[in-house]
């Protein structure tokens, strides 16, 4: 990297790109909630786009964030549960579903921190 580059070292110290230090459980939850908001944003973008590569890319961003969160100590994946729970699951396609309805399959895993669901799992119900 050139030493004369006017951006050398500046990009990583700007407030937008500064590394977030999650030194307490509360800060960790705040960071995970921000990532959950990104998933929500990419999901909304994907809904508004026509079928194609860009829509697939937005959906892939959501999947990658969720997968990363599922591997993080402190986050629990929501997957392979037998019955629908409206606090933990979203039906695909969206419809009104009673809690306790058997789940046929999982479309996308969700994420919980303790008892707090930050990203509901997407499921297909019977």
């Amino acid at each position: 990297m050139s030493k004369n580059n006017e951006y050398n070292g500046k990009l990583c110290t700007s407030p937008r790109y500064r590394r977030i230090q999650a030194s307490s459980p509360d800060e960790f939850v705040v960071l995970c909630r921000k990532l959950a908001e990104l998933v929500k944003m990419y999901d909304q973008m994907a809904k508004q786009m026509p079928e194609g590569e860009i829509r697939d890319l937005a959906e892939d961003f959501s999947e990658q964030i969720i997968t990363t969160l599922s591997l993080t100590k402190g986050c629990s994946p929501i997957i392979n549960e037998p019955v629908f729970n409206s606090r933990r699951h979203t039906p695909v396609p969206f419809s009104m579903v009673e809690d306790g309805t058997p789940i046929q399959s999982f479309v996308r895993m969700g994420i919980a921190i303790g008892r707090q669901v930050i990203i509901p799992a997407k499921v297909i119900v019977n």
Side-chain angles (χ1 to χ4, degrees):
M1 185 193 269
S2 171
K3 299 287 184 189
N4 297 327
N5 182 344
E6 66 180 288
Y7 297 108
N8 192 13
K10 292 180 185 176
L11 290 178
C12 295
T13 59
S14 69
R16 183 173 179 185
Y17 297 103
R18 191 171 299 138
R19 183 176 175 88
I20 297 172
Q21 298 290 328
S23 59
S24 74
D26 291 338
E27 290 173 339
F28 172 76
V29 171
V30 168
L31 176 60
C32 290
R33 286 190 178 282
K34 288 184 181 198
L35 289 169
E37 288 298 318
L38 277 176
V39 170
K40 198 178 292 185
M41 180 186 76
Y42 287 127
D43 285 351
Q44 284 297 96
M45 288 172 53
K47 282 181 189 177
Q48 297 172 2
M49 294 178 186
E51 297 272 334
E53 287 183 22
I54 296 186
R55 182 178 187 169
D56 292 345
L57 186 61
E59 291 171 348
D60 188 53
F61 287 158
S62 290
E63 288 280 342
Q64 294 299 319
I65 292 168
I66 291 169
T67 300
T68 301
L69 285 170
S70 75
L71 300 172
T72 304
K73 185 178 179 180
C75 290
S76 304
I78 300 171
I79 193 150
N80 297 331
E81 296 176 344
V83 294
F84 184 83
N85 178 328
S86 58
R87 294 171 47 121
R88 298 175 63 80
H89 308 109
T90 301
V92 175
F94 185 79
S95 61
M96 298 304 290
V97 177
E98 280 190 44
D99 285 355
T101 302
I103 294 174
Q104 181 180 356
S105 63
F106 276 71
V107 175
R108 183 176 81 188
M109 84 172 100
I111 299 293
I113 300 173
R115 292 187 173 173
Q116 296 178 1
V117 175
I118 61 170
I119 303 170
K122 291 185 177 185
V123 297
I124 297 174
V125 294
N126 291 334

